[in-house]
Amino acid sequence: MLAPSFPTFLGAENSTDPASVKTPYALLGIPYGPSYEAWELSAAAGGADMVRAAAVAHAYTRFLTHWNFDIGEPQFEDGKPNVTDLGNIVGNVRDPECIVTDAAAVLGPLVKAGVVPVVIGGMDSVPPMLVAPFEGQEDINVLQIDAHIDFRDEINGRRDGFSSPMRRLRDYACVRDLVQVGARAIGSARRQEVEAALKAGNRIVTAWDVYENGAKSIAESLDLSRRWVVSLDCDGMDPSVAPGVGAIEPGGLTFMQTGALLNHLARNNRLAGIVFTEYQPARDVGDATAHVIVRLILNILGLQRNPQAVPVQR
Amino acid sequence: MLAPSFPTFLGAENSTDPASVKTPYALLGIPYGPSYEAWELSAAAGGADMVRAAAVAHAYTRFLTHWNFDIGEPQFEDGKPNVTDLGNIVGNVRDPECIVTDAAAVLGPLVKAGVVPVVIGGMDSVPPMLVAPFEGQEDINVLQIDAHIDFRDEINGRRDGFSSPMRRLRDYACVRDLVQVGARAIGSARRQEVEAALKAGNRIVTAWDVYENGAKSIAESLDLSRRWVVSLDCDGMDPSVAPGVGAIEPGGLTFMQTGALLNHLARNNRLAGIVFTEYQPARDVGDATAHVIVRLILNILGLQRNPQAVPVQR
Amino acid sequence: MLAPSFPTFLGAENSTDPASVKTPYALLGIPYGPSYEAWELSAAAGGADMVRAAAVAHAYTRFLTHWNFDIGEPQFEDGKPNVTDLGNIVGNVRDPECIVTDAAAVLGPLVKAGVVPVVIGGMDSVPPMLVAPFEGQEDINVLQIDAHIDFRDEINGRRDGFSSPMRRLRDYACVRDLVQVGARAIGSARRQEVEAALKAGNRIVTAWDVYENGAKSIAESLDLSRRWVVSLDCDGMDPSVAPGVGAIEPGGLTFMQTGALLNHLARNNRLAGIVFTEYQPARDVGDATAHVIVRLILNILGLQRNPQAVPVQR
Amino acid sequence: MLAPSFPTFLGAENSTDPASVKTPYALLGIPYGPSYEAWELSAAAGGADMVRAAAVAHAYTRFLTHWNFDIGEPQFEDGKPNVTDLGNIVGNVRDPECIVTDAAAVLGPLVKAGVVPVVIGGMDSVPPMLVAPFEGQEDINVLQIDAHIDFRDEINGRRDGFSSPMRRLRDYACVRDLVQVGARAIGSARRQEVEAALKAGNRIVTAWDVYENGAKSIAESLDLSRRWVVSLDCDGMDPSVAPGVGAIEPGGLTFMQTGALLNHLARNNRLAGIVFTEYQPARDVGDATAHVIVRLILNILGLQRNPQAVPVQR
Amino acid sequence: MLAPSFPTFLGAENSTDPASVKTPYALLGIPYGPSYEAWELSAAAGGADMVRAAAVAHAYTRFLTHWNFDIGEPQFEDGKPNVTDLGNIVGNVRDPECIVTDAAAVLGPLVKAGVVPVVIGGMDSVPPMLVAPFEGQEDINVLQIDAHIDFRDEINGRRDGFSSPMRRLRDYACVRDLVQVGARAIGSARRQEVEAALKAGNRIVTAWDVYENGAKSIAESLDLSRRWVVSLDCDGMDPSVAPGVGAIEPGGLTFMQTGALLNHLARNNRLAGIVFTEYQPARDVGDATAHVIVRLILNILGLQRNPQAVPVQR
Amino acid sequence: MLAPSFPTFLGAENSTDPASVKTPYALLGIPYGPSYEAWELSAAAGGADMVRAAAVAHAYTRFLTHWNFDIGEPQFEDGKPNVTDLGNIVGNVRDPECIVTDAAAVLGPLVKAGVVPVVIGGMDSVPPMLVAPFEGQEDINVLQIDAHIDFRDEINGRRDGFSSPMRRLRDYACVRDLVQVGARAIGSARRQEVEAALKAGNRIVTAWDVYENGAKSIAESLDLSRRWVVSLDCDGMDPSVAPGVGAIEPGGLTFMQTGALLNHLARNNRLAGIVFTEYQPARDVGDATAHVIVRLILNILGLQRNPQAVPVQR
């Protein structure tokens, strides 16, 4: 069900038993999920391992005790990452749905234990797997960073595949605020999806809004009474930052804008989990996108070293 | 004289008879124009067809009825683009000047009928072809976005080729305001060209000014009493946005800055025509530049669906 | 000791005798310096010649008399660059340290004569060579633009190699303010280096600070009572601007931010010297990084044509 | 079940009804087949369409009536290709095995009617689909060109997936000679597979044998009393010829060697069908591999214009 | 009319006066010729200068006195190339035909004086310019190496452009044997062109013939009673050798096969001139094609140092 | 002195004690050697590790027990490679010569113990390090495969650097036959070097000879009364096979020709050692060159499993 990876992320301890995790964060690769087109099964499958490799290549794994100027202190002064690497869920191409069960078996215990999952997808079908374990456990908000709102109720007969994840999240009563940041250009959404999203109470912050008002003001507008699950589709960022995606779309969030949003939640201990989706290694330029993912995670781990220590209101 | 293209832009109706255009916009490829160096004849010749192909490749043609988050509504909810594709003017390498006559024969009827031409060049010699039909018809302003001011009176014995288009525009009495945005670094202009431009009443807004003051404030400073012809040399944008140009120059306008200028004119129904020049497909990275051009046009078409409905003061 | 280069930078007069320089600026290539790893000896060695070639390729050398819109006047209206090209110091792979003596023999007379050196490295070991001649001659401030603070006292047994240059600068009493701009992510610095830097009076301005407050406000905060030596490690800039470096790090300074800092010092006649380091031609994309270096130098030369004319307080 | 493609191969007539084919050849895309790893489902899926596009891009579709110097006469002097394009079988990622049934429904009628199928895979699981319809219909020989002998009885629990196709062919009594050309280096075969292949009567001709003895002598050694199905795994060719494969292996067959084998069978009217496998567009350089496939097919179609006219002994 | 180039080929003496050439060979760039499509005017225009640059880049210019193992002796033991560099003919895009007159004015005196011209095109329209001066002066044979036979009488109304050069050569009575080597695949020739070529007495040696019989036997079959003009269209060579062409076609001549043909003529003092066509720098990979051209020329110059010393029968 | 590498070559046992090697072959990386230019110190330094990585990437390490069709039997049927990986000699950039002493300390015991060294350089200065231990131990022949004869007595004052290794080998009395295969074009050799090589008894087999006569006949002409040290400069192979070299030179040995020479010596148990030089990872295309090196070594190890078992005449 879980296959260990080598190297582990940041050289962290690894484990294939979610119940054994003692660190506040746990990293997990989910290679894919239900889909209706073949390329979705494999396009992003190797993403988690590429992210692990990039952490080695850019020397972060080697410099763990060093100062991180993004956070204003050493990354891990004792050299011990506050994350456990659970490896990757083993997929079964003849039964893509079974990955949902497997993900639940891993993420459920983590969420129950107060461990913050850091998931590397996988495509659009992965975010609901991260949200599911919170149902009945804790009300959460969701911050989606994406070029698209992904609010289709079904596409090609499937309700759990491409372009649907945010719609599926609304099937969970635990999801309260749903803030969608970075939308731009034309995607899968039609008038009915935009109206459904607004009716569901979602807040849509286009990329134009981010550039006009600044990422900081958006970050500061987020309700901090509940913790947030972040769903970061890599095409939410600008192609000059994260080229390794299926469909580039100019005008996306810069590295600094993306970091401002994530770091705000981490600093305030309001991060319940994060999932990176649609990182497609074959389309990356160098390993720029993997590099960016590593650094965003490093900042979270360093800005909030012990997230579960603070009580969350239910 | 006009050769139809396949696919058409956005799958729009095509026509080779400018008099038959019933839509408010018409797209036209002008492969080149008078020049003094051989490469100018072919460098940008395939640009219009690449732009058409990019609209297919990035799924815009397929998603025409979908929501465009840049404009805040569906692109074409009925699936009918408000543009006719006139194909490309057929060039004759032995008589580059004849393209001027041909362009006049196509653009003249369009302008007279109140259709807004969307022209894909071609190099520096194309913008005057778009302005010519307004002479004696309607006073206009011109917004040039370019790394260079293109105000040479002649180069190598030619007055209608490279680096001269803005100077040539000043030969037309119908041209009133001429705002030149994005100038930076060293180009073909010498002291005498800068002085001539200022003396002619041109306003030069350097790229530094854009970054300092914001594209929005520049957009808002534009006189809206007359309609504007936009001449967008792709090197006016930053190489990270539009790499497919002859000479990249760092520090150019971002996608958001460029869009802010164009969308302001479209929103206010002050766009009389637009010409994209110097897009050189062979130098593009992927089809990034073609993609950007498509999206800028989509925004215009969607923000101002029926431009000729509003009377313009003559 | 000095080998002439062809072409010279901007077609400037060349000389291999520093005492003969009559122009206010002198350009010098220092291919490398002391190091502890082999690749450091060669990675940046060809940088100066690539910069010279880029000035030809981008037509700056041909357009010397033309208007530079970055500075608001012609670059050199008489066609005579105010810089002498001293070529490159000849290295000796069997005695990397001797390059220090050679650099002193070239830079000493320049600084004494009031000529502003423009040095193209070379790696981290080069900046101290530029600062050394000021010792006992003139108190200076140092502006470092870099992704890293380079304040290690030693690495692998060497105190004059990689990651140490800013620490070495503090060995010179003539160095007063040391402002370090652009730090981000995890590099060679540990807690002890950050504390040592702050204790030494350095001011650390992270890349996040630059994006938050603007390059202009940082430029205006610089003390102008003393002249500045600028040490520009190319990885201080964003990879989308300057990809030709050993280790890219997203979130760096844009071209406009970098230019704002340098141009401020040049405009105010407060530039005592500048050194570009870590430009590695083999990793460049096109010659984007060389192009950026050329343009930054052009702006300095044009904004302050006669730097030594104004008295500096000692 | 069958989806039509646009453009069709060589601009041929298209049809989605195999029973309606009136031409001696029929082209069919089979995107994938049973597999045990996700990437196998999508890696080669777009191959058939890329082959169709390459025929346009290299002007073959436009020059159909022109002379083909590979065959010594015009390709199709009347401009009518002797092939029907059946489009692609529509896959179902949730039921990869159903493609086997679909392929049988298309290929069965073709083989029965004496039409020669030209199949573009798809991966290793496709060749048995082409051979199946001959069972009980006609005894055939099989020529495999491949870097690997693909004679595993099972891998990861599957007997119809990767590395198994030639073993599966031996399940059909209609398969008589099985000549395996191009084997080199280390692949999936172990001693037991080599021994099983030899015991089954297969003839293994390594790439070294081809270079030593010449493709011509190998061609001439083929038994012509029965027709041949050719299974051409693109990695059988040298990476300098066909780089678009999953695992390049130097020392493969040149274009001329590959052509010599195929053309010999076509010239002698001994070709019963051909399937190209493992062409992976994303790994191609330019469209070199697609180009090679087009040209190999053109030669077959031109060298043997009416294959079914000659009786085959059963 | 003639513009000098820098650097010159191999650092040879340069001249813009053909009458002044004292060396047995003269190098000349002809950027283009009459054409009917714009890209033909510029695609190969920079070829001659790229060839000159490649001779520097690959150190041949620096190693002139060194041993050339292709020829079995030092290239130029005295360091003096036996070739004069005449630079390039200056084109006029508004009058492409005038290049024919200019070429005649340069090549005429050369041929009359017994100097062997080495021409770098330019596209298909260039070879007739090299043959013209022999008319009435000396009967010659022509060896064409090309993927295509280029025997169209007209295309798009022009008889002196693309695909026509070998047909035009047959307009000259001085052309006796015309051997066409390397034809393969489908090009511009139809049945009528092949029949016309054979009727004209041309000998067509397909690429298949070259691989079957060896370049050596073809070389030895060439009639040596007359001198030969070689017309080498770079697409005659295999794309793995010369990728810098408009339309790659696998199965072309290898470097060794091409060299065997050219060197045979040079060794036997039967080379009257050579023209390289269709080298398109923008499509080259690295400068592989330029490199190959340099080396083929080096071999000719070294194998036959004083070609005019031996009398030719008229 | 020796630093272990991970992964090891083929997953072989590793050791940093040459005296402990129990396998018939030992692999060793020598990153560089004495040199006179900085880039030589680092250009090939990472070659050995890239070769180790390529063995993993191309699945050879995973398929060790599988059949190798190049040798006609399983590679290592028991899964145990007959080679020990000694890692890499640790260089010291301040004392490049000390690598010679270190290499002697590793290679001496190996040669004395009859272990066959497989060395991955490093540049031209490495081959003499492999030959030195044979002096006084065993007379050997040397087969050099290289585009150049490397017979300069000195360059830039050094006698042990670039272009000199074959000259240096002649300083050893143990070197008897020295066969130089693959020479072509112009390199560092002048008339005096060619004459010196021939006078020393070297046999020069140009690339033209290889293509003319076949690699097999050259292999069979090698004297088998003594064992051979092979010095394979990667530029001896054709750029289409081994692009990862400093200076590509078309017309080099194919993979099959190179293999024919090496395999002949291995098959006949006449291989005393082999060194690969000038493999420069940064110039490789993919890891094609590393891949080729791996496969050439695999063939040697498999064709001669126990080389020291057969007595060699001294």
PDB file of all heavy atoms in Angstrom, chain C residues 34-35 38-39 41-42 93-94 97 158, chain F residues 34-35 38-39 41-42 93-94 97 158:
ATOM      1  N   PRO C  34      41.473  32.149  -5.747  1.00  0.00           N
ATOM      2  CA  PRO C  34      41.709  30.979  -4.906  1.00  0.00           C
ATOM      3  C   PRO C  34      40.401  30.196  -4.751  1.00  0.00           C
ATOM      4  O   PRO C  34      39.324  30.780  -4.676  1.00  0.00           O
ATOM      5  CB  PRO C  34      42.133  31.597  -3.582  1.00  0.00           C
ATOM      6  CG  PRO C  34      42.639  32.949  -3.919  1.00  0.00           C
ATOM      7  CD  PRO C  34      41.845  33.396  -5.100  1.00  0.00           C
ATOM      8  N   SER C  35      40.524  28.903  -4.694  1.00  0.00           N
ATOM      9  CA  SER C  35      39.335  28.066  -4.578  1.00  0.00           C
ATOM     10  C   SER C  35      39.733  26.737  -3.974  1.00  0.00           C
ATOM     11  O   SER C  35      40.904  26.442  -3.821  1.00  0.00           O
ATOM     12  CB  SER C  35      38.726  27.817  -5.957  1.00  0.00           C
ATOM     13  OG  SER C  35      39.600  27.012  -6.702  1.00  0.00           O
ATOM     14  N   ALA C  38      37.684  22.171  -8.013  1.00  0.00           N
ATOM     15  CA  ALA C  38      38.150  22.388  -9.378  1.00  0.00           C
ATOM     16  C   ALA C  38      37.178  23.201 -10.220  1.00  0.00           C
ATOM     17  O   ALA C  38      37.581  24.085 -10.966  1.00  0.00           O
ATOM     18  CB  ALA C  38      38.418  21.050 -10.053  1.00  0.00           C
ATOM     19  N   TRP C  39      35.890  22.908 -10.084  1.00  0.00           N
ATOM     20  CA  TRP C  39      34.960  23.593 -10.984  1.00  0.00           C
ATOM     21  C   TRP C  39      34.942  25.089 -10.785  1.00  0.00           C
ATOM     22  O   TRP C  39      34.631  25.849 -11.694  1.00  0.00           O
ATOM     23  CB  TRP C  39      33.552  23.009 -10.861  1.00  0.00           C
ATOM     24  CG  TRP C  39      32.887  23.230  -9.535  1.00  0.00           C
ATOM     25  CD1 TRP C  39      32.908  22.378  -8.475  1.00  0.00           C
ATOM     26  CD2 TRP C  39      32.149  24.374  -9.114  1.00  0.00           C
ATOM     27  NE1 TRP C  39      32.213  22.914  -7.419  1.00  0.00           N
ATOM     28  CE2 TRP C  39      31.735  24.140  -7.780  1.00  0.00           C
ATOM     29  CE3 TRP C  39      31.796  25.569  -9.730  1.00  0.00           C
ATOM     30  CZ2 TRP C  39      30.995  25.059  -7.054  1.00  0.00           C
ATOM     31  CZ3 TRP C  39      31.054  26.492  -9.001  1.00  0.00           C
ATOM     32  CH2 TRP C  39      30.662  26.228  -7.682  1.00  0.00           C
ATOM     33  N   LEU C  41      37.427  26.916 -10.559  1.00  0.00           N
ATOM     34  CA  LEU C  41      38.486  27.533 -11.357  1.00  0.00           C
ATOM     35  C   LEU C  41      38.032  27.839 -12.768  1.00  0.00           C
ATOM     36  O   LEU C  41      38.546  28.723 -13.423  1.00  0.00           O
ATOM     37  CB  LEU C  41      39.713  26.620 -11.416  1.00  0.00           C
ATOM     38  CG  LEU C  41      40.548  26.562 -10.145  1.00  0.00           C
ATOM     39  CD1 LEU C  41      41.697  25.581 -10.334  1.00  0.00           C
ATOM     40  CD2 LEU C  41      41.111  27.941  -9.827  1.00  0.00           C
ATOM     41  N   SER C  42      37.084  27.076 -13.258  1.00  0.00           N
ATOM     42  CA  SER C  42      36.748  27.284 -14.663  1.00  0.00           C
ATOM     43  C   SER C  42      35.311  27.710 -14.922  1.00  0.00           C
ATOM     44  O   SER C  42      35.012  28.239 -15.979  1.00  0.00           O
ATOM     45  CB  SER C  42      37.028  26.007 -15.464  1.00  0.00           C
ATOM     46  OG  SER C  42      36.244  24.947 -14.979  1.00  0.00           O
ATOM     47  N   VAL C  93      46.721  27.946 -13.445  1.00  0.00           N
ATOM     48  CA  VAL C  93      45.980  26.949 -12.704  1.00  0.00           C
ATOM     49  C   VAL C  93      46.820  26.300 -11.613  1.00  0.00           C
ATOM     50  O   VAL C  93      46.314  25.783 -10.632  1.00  0.00           O
ATOM     51  CB  VAL C  93      45.409  25.890 -13.670  1.00  0.00           C
ATOM     52  CG1 VAL C  93      46.511  25.061 -14.286  1.00  0.00           C
ATOM     53  CG2 VAL C  93      44.405  25.007 -12.965  1.00  0.00           C
ATOM     54  N   ARG C  94      48.137  26.332 -11.766  1.00  0.00           N
ATOM     55  CA  ARG C  94      49.019  25.731 -10.766  1.00  0.00           C
ATOM     56  C   ARG C  94      49.317  26.681  -9.620  1.00  0.00           C
ATOM     57  O   ARG C  94      49.991  26.318  -8.666  1.00  0.00           O
ATOM     58  CB  ARG C  94      50.335  25.309 -11.425  1.00  0.00           C
ATOM     59  CG  ARG C  94      50.050  24.248 -12.397  1.00  0.00           C
ATOM     60  CD  ARG C  94      51.126  23.827 -13.301  1.00  0.00           C
ATOM     61  NE  ARG C  94      50.505  22.817 -14.125  1.00  0.00           N
ATOM     62  CZ  ARG C  94      50.142  21.634 -13.642  1.00  0.00           C
ATOM     63  NH1 ARG C  94      50.400  21.284 -12.409  1.00  0.00           N
ATOM     64  NH2 ARG C  94      49.516  20.787 -14.420  1.00  0.00           N
ATOM     65  N   GLU C  97      46.568  31.416  -6.382  1.00  0.00           N
ATOM     66  CA  GLU C  97      46.733  32.587  -5.512  1.00  0.00           C
ATOM     67  C   GLU C  97      47.424  33.742  -6.220  1.00  0.00           C
ATOM     68  O   GLU C  97      47.245  34.900  -5.856  1.00  0.00           O
ATOM     69  CB  GLU C  97      47.518  32.223  -4.247  1.00  0.00           C
ATOM     70  CG  GLU C  97      46.665  31.635  -3.153  1.00  0.00           C
ATOM     71  CD  GLU C  97      46.409  30.152  -3.390  1.00  0.00           C
ATOM     72  OE1 GLU C  97      46.978  29.617  -4.359  1.00  0.00           O
ATOM     73  OE2 GLU C  97      45.631  29.536  -2.632  1.00  0.00           O
ATOM     74  N   ARG C 158      39.802  26.706   3.616  1.00  0.00           N
ATOM     75  CA  ARG C 158      40.218  27.933   2.936  1.00  0.00           C
ATOM     76  C   ARG C 158      39.390  29.102   3.462  1.00  0.00           C
ATOM     77  O   ARG C 158      38.191  28.991   3.652  1.00  0.00           O
ATOM     78  CB  ARG C 158      40.014  27.821   1.427  1.00  0.00           C
ATOM     79  CG  ARG C 158      40.899  26.767   0.792  1.00  0.00           C
ATOM     80  CD  ARG C 158      41.110  27.074  -0.669  1.00  0.00           C
ATOM     81  NE  ARG C 158      41.767  28.357  -0.848  1.00  0.00           N
ATOM     82  CZ  ARG C 158      43.083  28.535  -0.840  1.00  0.00           C
ATOM     83  NH1 ARG C 158      43.897  27.521  -0.689  1.00  0.00           N
ATOM     84  NH2 ARG C 158      43.590  29.738  -1.004  1.00  0.00           N
TER      85      ARG C 158
ATOM     86  N   PRO F  34      47.329  16.194 -14.123  1.00  0.00           N
ATOM     87  CA  PRO F  34      48.063  17.434 -14.398  1.00  0.00           C
ATOM     88  C   PRO F  34      47.472  18.093 -15.642  1.00  0.00           C
ATOM     89  O   PRO F  34      47.028  17.409 -16.567  1.00  0.00           O
ATOM     90  CB  PRO F  34      49.484  16.936 -14.654  1.00  0.00           C
ATOM     91  CG  PRO F  34      49.566  15.609 -13.969  1.00  0.00           C
ATOM     92  CD  PRO F  34      48.202  15.019 -14.060  1.00  0.00           C
ATOM     93  N   SER F  35      47.465  19.396 -15.663  1.00  0.00           N
ATOM     94  CA  SER F  35      46.875  20.111 -16.790  1.00  0.00           C
ATOM     95  C   SER F  35      47.475  21.491 -16.854  1.00  0.00           C
ATOM     96  O   SER F  35      48.187  21.918 -15.949  1.00  0.00           O
ATOM     97  CB  SER F  35      45.367  20.236 -16.599  1.00  0.00           C
ATOM     98  OG  SER F  35      45.123  21.085 -15.508  1.00  0.00           O
ATOM     99  N   ALA F  38      42.556  25.618 -16.807  1.00  0.00           N
ATOM    100  CA  ALA F  38      41.638  25.365 -15.703  1.00  0.00           C
ATOM    101  C   ALA F  38      40.504  24.426 -16.070  1.00  0.00           C
ATOM    102  O   ALA F  38      40.143  23.541 -15.312  1.00  0.00           O
ATOM    103  CB  ALA F  38      41.067  26.683 -15.188  1.00  0.00           C
ATOM    104  N   TRP F  39      39.928  24.599 -17.254  1.00  0.00           N
ATOM    105  CA  TRP F  39      38.749  23.796 -17.567  1.00  0.00           C
ATOM    106  C   TRP F  39      39.060  22.310 -17.606  1.00  0.00           C
ATOM    107  O   TRP F  39      38.184  21.477 -17.382  1.00  0.00           O
ATOM    108  CB  TRP F  39      38.100  24.255 -18.868  1.00  0.00           C
ATOM    109  CG  TRP F  39      38.935  24.055 -20.100  1.00  0.00           C
ATOM    110  CD1 TRP F  39      39.776  24.953 -20.670  1.00  0.00           C
ATOM    111  CD2 TRP F  39      39.024  22.874 -20.890  1.00  0.00           C
ATOM    112  NE1 TRP F  39      40.392  24.418 -21.761  1.00  0.00           N
ATOM    113  CE2 TRP F  39      39.952  23.142 -21.928  1.00  0.00           C
ATOM    114  CE3 TRP F  39      38.431  21.618 -20.838  1.00  0.00           C
ATOM    115  CZ2 TRP F  39      40.287  22.194 -22.907  1.00  0.00           C
ATOM    116  CZ3 TRP F  39      38.763  20.669 -21.802  1.00  0.00           C
ATOM    117  CH2 TRP F  39      39.689  20.961 -22.821  1.00  0.00           C
ATOM    118  N   LEU F  41      40.642  20.715 -15.510  1.00  0.00           N
ATOM    119  CA  LEU F  41      40.532  20.141 -14.173  1.00  0.00           C
ATOM    120  C   LEU F  41      39.108  19.715 -13.850  1.00  0.00           C
ATOM    121  O   LEU F  41      38.893  18.827 -13.046  1.00  0.00           O
ATOM    122  CB  LEU F  41      41.003  21.160 -13.123  1.00  0.00           C
ATOM    123  CG  LEU F  41      42.512  21.367 -13.043  1.00  0.00           C
ATOM    124  CD1 LEU F  41      42.831  22.433 -12.007  1.00  0.00           C
ATOM    125  CD2 LEU F  41      43.218  20.066 -12.668  1.00  0.00           C
ATOM    126  N   SER F  42      38.153  20.352 -14.469  1.00  0.00           N
ATOM    127  CA  SER F  42      36.788  20.017 -14.060  1.00  0.00           C
ATOM    128  C   SER F  42      35.899  19.446 -15.155  1.00  0.00           C
ATOM    129  O   SER F  42      34.890  18.825 -14.871  1.00  0.00           O
ATOM    130  CB  SER F  42      36.106  21.257 -13.479  1.00  0.00           C
ATOM    131  OG  SER F  42      36.031  22.270 -14.450  1.00  0.00           O
ATOM    132  N   VAL F  93      42.874  20.426  -5.998  1.00  0.00           N
ATOM    133  CA  VAL F  93      43.063  21.387  -7.074  1.00  0.00           C
ATOM    134  C   VAL F  93      44.356  22.176  -6.930  1.00  0.00           C
ATOM    135  O   VAL F  93      44.902  22.687  -7.896  1.00  0.00           O
ATOM    136  CB  VAL F  93      41.838  22.320  -7.155  1.00  0.00           C
ATOM    137  CG1 VAL F  93      41.788  23.215  -5.942  1.00  0.00           C
ATOM    138  CG2 VAL F  93      41.857  23.135  -8.420  1.00  0.00           C
ATOM    139  N   ARG F  94      44.868  22.273  -5.719  1.00  0.00           N
ATOM    140  CA  ARG F  94      46.115  23.011  -5.511  1.00  0.00           C
ATOM    141  C   ARG F  94      47.334  22.150  -5.768  1.00  0.00           C
ATOM    142  O   ARG F  94      48.462  22.631  -5.715  1.00  0.00           O
ATOM    143  CB  ARG F  94      46.167  23.544  -4.076  1.00  0.00           C
ATOM    144  CG  ARG F  94      45.061  24.517  -3.913  1.00  0.00           C
ATOM    145  CD  ARG F  94      44.776  25.010  -2.553  1.00  0.00           C
ATOM    146  NE  ARG F  94      43.659  25.902  -2.751  1.00  0.00           N
ATOM    147  CZ  ARG F  94      43.783  27.085  -3.373  1.00  0.00           C
ATOM    148  NH1 ARG F  94      44.951  27.532  -3.752  1.00  0.00           N
ATOM    149  NH2 ARG F  94      42.719  27.815  -3.581  1.00  0.00           N
ATOM    150  N   GLU F  97      49.226  17.379  -9.455  1.00  0.00           N
ATOM    151  CA  GLU F  97      50.178  16.288  -9.685  1.00  0.00           C
ATOM    152  C   GLU F  97      50.021  15.171  -8.665  1.00  0.00           C
ATOM    153  O   GLU F  97      50.369  14.030  -8.945  1.00  0.00           O
ATOM    154  CB  GLU F  97      51.629  16.803  -9.649  1.00  0.00           C
ATOM    155  CG  GLU F  97      52.084  17.384 -10.967  1.00  0.00           C
ATOM    156  CD  GLU F  97      51.603  18.810 -11.138  1.00  0.00           C
ATOM    157  OE1 GLU F  97      50.977  19.333 -10.185  1.00  0.00           O
ATOM    158  OE2 GLU F  97      51.810  19.389 -12.207  1.00  0.00           O
ATOM    159  N   ARG F 158      54.077  22.043 -20.512  1.00  0.00           N
ATOM    160  CA  ARG F 158      53.804  20.818 -19.744  1.00  0.00           C
ATOM    161  C   ARG F 158      53.965  19.605 -20.654  1.00  0.00           C
ATOM    162  O   ARG F 158      53.535  19.604 -21.790  1.00  0.00           O
ATOM    163  CB  ARG F 158      52.387  20.816 -19.176  1.00  0.00           C
ATOM    164  CG  ARG F 158      52.168  21.906 -18.155  1.00  0.00           C
ATOM    165  CD  ARG F 158      51.045  21.531 -17.207  1.00  0.00           C
ATOM    166  NE  ARG F 158      51.351  20.316 -16.483  1.00  0.00           N
ATOM    167  CZ  ARG F 158      52.009  20.276 -15.340  1.00  0.00           C
ATOM    168  NH1 ARG F 158      52.445  21.367 -14.775  1.00  0.00           N
ATOM    169  NH2 ARG F 158      52.243  19.120 -14.748  1.00  0.00           N
TER     170      ARG F 158
END
